[in-house]
Amino acid sequence: QCGYVFGYCQVQSQWNHFSDFNNTLCKGDFYEMVGQYGFCSEEGGEFKTPAKVKQIQALSIATTVILSVAFVLALQAPIVGGKLAYAAAFFSIIAAATSCAAFSVATSYDYYKTFHSPGGYLPFVYTGTGCPTDTCIFLSDRLYMYWGPAFWSMVTVFIISFLASLSLFAGANALDEDDGHYGGGPAFNEPPFDPLDDQIKLA
């Protein structure tokens, strides 16, 4: 469907932001096929970015920031000590939680569910001849799609963050026991043990 009339048109491959769409999605069949899933204030109303999409975006950004902090803390933990390792583990587990929340919101979004069964519709932008406005919106044919790389990358982030938090907690315990680098070894500012010293004293 192209613009305000039923028909077919050809468009180039495109990557659209939500700001590229307009109130066309809130009218008639456009509303029934796409707009009703949070894209419109009401039928015939104003176009808006769905709340579920905003939540996914916010959780994804939060995950990235939190993981970056955890990464920096984990790098410094062997030098500073166990408390910093605990902090890195804490941030890592929070990142696991936010990434889990992100893909959970995606799986619960009704619009995304339509692409599993019986199939959903994707909106596209058309600016060619015959468009009654500067930007026309048309819908794809009914599509059946699987989860893509963005979804599975968030699942992967959850798994890695969770496992990293467990490793960091274990490393923090080792630092507390050793007062130095991860694992066994001499504490900071202490010379390594030399068994020859005891032999000399005994002699």
Side-chain angles (χ1 to χ4, degrees):
Q1 300 178 18
C2 300
Y4 297 99
V5 296
F6 293 96
Y8 293 92
C9 56
Q10 294 181 346
V11 295
Q12 297 178 347
S13 298
Q14 55 190 257
W15 182 277
N16 295 315
H17 298 280
F18 287 100
S19 59
D20 295 331
F21 300 116
N22 54 43
N23 294 339
T24 301
L25 285 180
C26 303
K27 300 177 181 180
D29 288 343
F30 290 92
Y31 179 80
E32 293 297 325
M33 296 177 180
V34 176
Q36 65 170 314
Y37 299 108
F39 290 90
C40 303
S41 57
E42 59 183 352
E43 185 173 4
E46 296 293 322
F47 171 80
K48 63 177 183 178
T49 301
K52 292 279 189 180
V53 172
K54 290 182 179 179
Q55 292 171 12
I56 295 171
Q57 292 173 340
L59 288 167
S60 299
I61 294 172
T63 300
T64 303
V65 173
I66 295 170
L67 270 182
S68 299
V69 174
F71 177 74
V72 173
L73 293 176
L75 287 179
Q76 296 298 316
I79 301 173
V80 177
K83 291 183 179 180
L84 204 60
Y86 281 119
F90 174 77
F91 277 99
S92 185
I93 199 69
I94 294 299
T98 54
S99 60
C100 179
F103 67 75
S104 296
V105 172
T107 56
S108 66
Y109 186 20
D110 290 340
Y111 177 59
Y112 291 160
K113 289 181 179 179
T114 64
F115 292 100
H116 296 286
S117 178
Y121 299 89
L122 285 176
F124 291 94
V125 175
Y126 176 68
T127 56
T129 57
C131 179
T133 61
D134 292 336
T135 300
C136 291
I137 307 299
F138 82 100
L139 300 180
S140 67
D141 292 331
R142 189 184 293 273
L143 299 174
Y144 182 89
M145 297 192 298
Y146 299 95
W147 293 112
F151 175 83
W152 291 114
S153 65
M154 196 57 65
V155 174
T156 303
V157 167
F158 164 72
I159 296 172
I160 293 175
S161 299
F162 180 74
L163 295 178
S165 65
L166 297 180
S167 176
L168 286 166
F169 275 123
N173 290 330
L175 280 172
D176 282 343
E177 294 172 359
D178 186 53
D179 292 330
H181 289 287
Y182 287 116
F188 286 127
N189 301 322
E190 292 184 8
F193 173 72
D194 188 352
L196 292 178
D197 290 342
D198 287 339
Q199 293 179 11
I200 295 173
K201 292 177 182 178
L202 290 174

